Amino acid sequence: MREQVNLLLDEILPRMDQGVHHEKEGFLEVMYYVDRFNSYKGGSRGKYTLEYFEDLWGMEHTPE
């Protein structure tokens, strides 16, 4: 639970506040962290994952 809170506060919310999710590259970056966030709750990821959007847009996100 603590890992999820830290990930949300340190990685996901700041990117949302910066508006990076309005561009495809930034959206993929946010989805990378959302996938990590979801993995902490037993791997339940749902349909809309980083991989889904990479395939949809023919792009690839490479974490730094």
Side-chain angles (χ1 to χ4, degrees):
M1 174 78 149
R2 182 136 181 102
E3 293 89 3
Q4 282 179 297
V5 170
N6 288 340
L7 194 59
L8 184 66
L9 293 176
D10 296 340
E11 303 296 345
I12 297 171
L13 291 179
R15 285 174 172 78
M16 298 295 285
D17 285 342
Q18 295 167 2
V20 300
H21 62 289
H22 293 291
E23 301 292 329
K24 287 181 181 179
E25 294 84 3
F27 187 84
L28 293 178
E29 182 179 350
V30 170
M31 285 305 300
Y32 168 77
Y33 290 106
V34 169
D35 280 358
R36 285 184 48 198
F37 180 88
N38 287 337
S39 73
Y40 290 126
K41 62 179 186 177
S44 174
R45 296 176 52 194
K47 176 180 178 180
Y48 299 108
T49 63
L50 172 61
E51 184 178 354
Y52 173 87
F53 289 103
E54 286 177 328
D55 290 343
L56 179 68
W57 295 329
M59 300 172 70
E60 186 175 322
H61 173 71
T62 307
E64 296 178 12

